[in-house]
Amino acid sequence: MRTGNQIAYGWCKSLEDKVNSDTSITGAAQNDADGTAPRKGMRKFQAPQAASRDVAQAPGAEAAEPSVQPAIEEAPDAAKSNEPPSNRPQNRPQNRRQNAPQNGPRQKGKGPKVGPGAKGPGAKGPGAKGKGKGKQNPPPKVVEIAPMATNAGMRRRHWGLVLSALALIVAPLLVSAWYLWAVSTDQYASTVGFTVRQEGGSSSADLLGNGLGDLFGGSSTSDADILYEFIQSQEMVSRIDDRFDLRGHYAQPWPDDVIFAIWPDATIEELVWYWSRIVRVSYDQGSGLIELRVLAFDAKTAQAIGTGIVEESQNMINALNDQARDDLLRYAQRDLEVSLRRLKDAREALILFRTRTQIVDPATDLQGRLGVVNNLQAQLAQALIDLDVLLDQSSENDPRVKQARRTIEVIKNRIVIERENVASGDITVGGEDYPTLLAEFEGLVVDREFAEEGYRAALTALDVARNNAGRQSRYLEAYVRPTLPQSSEFPRRWVLLGMIGLFVGLIWSILALIYYSIRDSR
């Protein structure tokens, strides 16, 4: 027959396996040496322990079984319930108090012990031996849980945040919306786009092949850069103001619309500042495209101002081109004069040389001297032939042979002299030899040829400058004509209202964070 302690231990083991499988708690509860106490660190179950203690306090195993049976019967219901294991030990102290009067007061070290190692007359089992001391388990730990938070309520600082949000966010938005939709004046936008172009046809400067075409053509990119700065300059504002009376048009809504209008007595500097608001310039430096957006209080004025900006820009480009062409024409004329004077000096020096040396052309004179040498060599060859013929017909003592030998000797001497004259020359005018005169002549010829080339280049440059002065090489081409708007697109009320809301919201958030940071630091 099984004892109550063994029955309680079996129920504790099965219940502990179920709890471990539901809550993923590692380890298994095991008994100590006598099979009654769980290991250290394992979950302790109060119901089985209470039942085992009740059984141990009974006078006999038979008396302990009825007290353990209720706990065993209640255990399956507790294991099947969905209540977590942490909530189950709450009823265990009641079971102890209910079972305590039946078993009597418990004394430490006295009383019967049930189990394999129990001693005393009331112990049953294979290992029952006399009396023994009962082993008492430590009381369960009590975990204190903080009380649940109560419902939050509005405090004074919360009402302060609400009031500050109304003052810094809602009020500015309402005022801005009222001004944008009830006070501000509608504006019309005219768009115009243009660029600086270079003429596509070829000119005589492009046919030279020496860079004169690029020199006189200029650069369209630099002209676009200049034009971009000119549109935003005070000079442009002054010219447009003289043509369209900017103050009179943009001061019409004053003083009702103080944000989008300008005051009537604005100075030129203030008008330049207002110009940046009504004229937006977009410039692409890579392609040289310039696009303008002109705002005005009526559509025709916006289109007229856009047309005026295009015309003034065209006049600016023409003025730059005219000034460049005038400078190039003046420089070309001066270069031509210098080249002409240099050519005259070179030719005059050559004429003086010929007059002084009596040599028209040293090259021709040299060829004549070489012709004399060649003629003497031909005569020498003929004389040698005559001598050979004469020796075949007569002896050495013949006077004709002596005469032939004398002629050959004279021709040889003359050839030597003429060659020396060609190589070193003979003394001529002023003690100068022929090679010195020849070197001087070559230098004069080079100077004359260089002066002639420079004169031709200067003359061509002058022709190119005159040709460019008669036509327009740079011009402003509008790829988008000034448009005539049909509806007012500005001011963009919803965009402005959204930006205002964003900024006031950021300001309010920063102020709230500053307030709470100061409050928490105290």
Side-chain angles (χ1 to χ4, degrees):
M1 182 177 181
R2 298 176 61 186
T3 63
N5 192 14
Q6 292 175 347
I7 295 173
Y9 170 73
W11 174 83
C12 178
K13 184 65 176 177
S14 61
L15 179 61
E16 190 173 43
D17 293 339
K18 291 182 180 180
V19 172
N20 290 336
S21 62
D22 294 336
T23 60
S24 300
I25 300 176
T26 59
Q30 297 180 2
N31 290 336
D32 53 1
D34 58 357
T36 60
R39 289 186 180 181
K40 183 179 180 180
M42 296 300 178
R43 182 180 295 273
K44 298 178 181 180
F45 299 92
Q46 296 294 336
Q49 292 173 1
S52 63
R53 283 195 296 269
D54 294 339
V55 173
Q57 293 173 3
E62 292 81 358
E65 290 181 0
S67 63
V68 178
Q69 187 66 25
I72 296 175
E73 293 177 355
E74 293 176 0
D77 296 334
K80 294 180 181 179
S81 64
N82 295 328
E83 184 180 1
S86 59
N87 296 332
R88 295 171 188 168
Q90 295 177 0
N91 298 326
R92 294 172 186 172
Q94 298 177 3
N95 296 333
R96 293 178 183 176
R97 287 192 295 269
Q98 292 175 0
N99 297 329
Q102 300 175 5
N103 300 329
R106 183 175 180 179
Q107 297 179 0
K108 184 177 181 181
K110 297 180 180 180
K113 182 178 181 181
V114 180
K119 298 178 181 181
K124 285 187 177 183
K129 294 180 182 181
K131 293 183 180 181
K133 295 182 179 181
K135 187 175 181 181
Q136 184 179 5
N137 293 328
K141 294 182 179 180
V142 179
V143 179
E144 295 183 359
I145 301 175
M148 296 180 63
T150 59
N151 296 330
M154 293 292 291
R155 298 185 180 183
R156 187 171 59 181
R157 66 174 181 271
H158 299 156
W159 289 111
L161 285 177
V162 173
L163 294 178
S164 63
L166 293 176
L168 296 179
I169 298 179
V170 179
L173 286 178
L174 293 177
V175 173
S176 301
W178 169 79
Y179 186 90
L180 290 174
W181 271 272
V183 179
S184 62
T185 307
D186 293 338
Q187 296 179 355
Y188 297 84
S190 177
T191 304
V192 57
F194 53 87
T195 184
V196 180
R197 302 287 294 177
Q198 184 181 2
E199 60 179 354
S202 60
S203 62
S204 59
D206 300 329
L207 301 177
L208 294 177
N210 54 2
L212 290 177
D214 297 335
L215 177 62
F216 294 107
S219 175
S220 59
T221 304
S222 60
D223 292 340
D225 294 338
I226 295 173
L227 192 59
Y228 172 73
E229 298 296 335
F230 173 71
I231 293 174
Q232 307 175 73
S233 64
Q234 181 176 339
E235 184 178 358
M236 172 64 81
V237 177
S238 299
R239 293 183 182 182
I240 299 299
D241 184 33
D242 296 339
R243 295 179 57 177
F244 302 101
D245 188 16
L246 296 179
R247 294 182 180 86
H249 175 74
Y250 290 99
Q252 292 178 3
W254 186 270
D256 297 333
D257 190 359
V258 297
I259 295 179
F260 298 101
I262 192 173
W263 44 99
D265 55 346
T267 61
I268 186 62
E269 290 78 11
E270 295 170 344
L271 192 60
V272 171
W273 167 80
Y274 188 76
W275 178 265
S276 62
R277 296 180 56 187
I278 62 175
V279 178
R280 299 293 177 88
V281 185
S282 300
Y283 173 52
D284 187 359
Q285 192 172 9
S287 60
L289 301 179
I290 300 176
E291 186 172 349
L292 301 178
R293 189 195 66 191
V294 183
L295 301 180
F297 295 128
D298 60 83
K300 293 184 178 180
T301 303
Q303 185 184 26
I305 292 176
T307 304
I309 293 175
V310 173
E311 294 175 355
E312 294 297 335
S313 301
Q314 180 68 58
N315 296 334
M316 182 63 183
I317 293 297
N318 294 338
L320 293 176
N321 290 335
D322 293 341
Q323 182 179 0
R325 286 194 297 265
D326 293 341
D327 293 341
L328 293 174
L329 184 60
R330 185 174 64 255
Y331 295 152
Q333 290 177 350
R334 187 183 65 183
D335 293 341
L336 181 61
E337 293 175 358
V338 173
S339 300
L340 182 59
R341 185 168 57 251
R342 184 184 300 168
L343 179 59
K344 289 180 179 180
D345 294 340
R347 289 183 175 180
E348 183 179 356
L350 187 59
I351 292 173
L352 293 176
F353 173 80
R354 290 172 177 174
T355 303
R356 177 171 56 86
T357 59
Q358 301 297 321
I359 300 176
V360 178
D361 189 356
T364 305
D365 185 70
L366 182 60
Q367 291 178 1
R369 291 176 181 269
L370 292 177
V372 172
V373 174
N374 293 333
N375 191 13
L376 292 175
Q377 289 179 349
Q379 293 179 8
L380 177 60
Q382 186 62 39
L384 291 175
I385 293 173
D386 294 342
L387 178 61
D388 293 338
V389 173
L390 187 58
L391 289 175
D392 291 339
Q393 297 177 358
S394 62
S395 61
E396 289 289 339
N397 295 326
D398 189 350
R400 291 179 301 175
V401 175
K402 293 180 179 181
Q403 183 64 31
R405 292 184 181 277
R406 179 61 182 171
T407 301
I408 292 173
E409 184 180 357
V410 170
I411 293 174
K412 289 181 178 181
N413 293 334
R414 177 49 57 184
I415 291 175
V416 173
I417 294 172
E418 291 298 332
R419 286 180 175 177
E420 291 178 356
N421 291 334
V422 172
S424 60
D426 54 353
I427 302 300
T428 57
V429 181
E432 296 178 348
D433 53 5
Y434 190 79
T436 303
L437 296 176
L438 185 59
E440 183 181 357
F441 177 80
E442 292 294 335
L444 295 175
V445 170
V446 171
D447 292 342
R448 185 192 64 181
E449 292 178 354
F450 180 77
E452 290 176 352
E453 292 293 335
Y455 176 76
R456 282 194 292 268
L459 188 60
T460 303
L462 180 60
D463 293 339
V464 171
R466 288 176 178 175
N467 187 21
N468 290 334
R471 60 181 179 180
Q472 187 176 0
S473 60
R474 287 287 187 275
Y475 57 94
L476 189 144
E477 181 179 359
Y479 60 89
V480 176
R481 299 291 179 181
T483 59
L484 180 62
Q486 296 181 355
S487 61
S488 60
E489 299 179 358
F490 295 86
R492 295 178 177 175
R493 294 177 172 86
W494 288 108
V495 175
L496 294 177
L497 187 63
M499 294 178 63
I500 293 172
L502 176 62
F503 280 108
V504 296
L506 290 176
I507 293 173
W508 177 82
S509 302
I510 293 173
L511 293 178
L513 291 175
I514 293 174
Y515 166 73
Y516 272 98
S517 63
I518 295 175
R519 178 179 176 274
D520 295 340
S521 63
R522 292 179 179 178

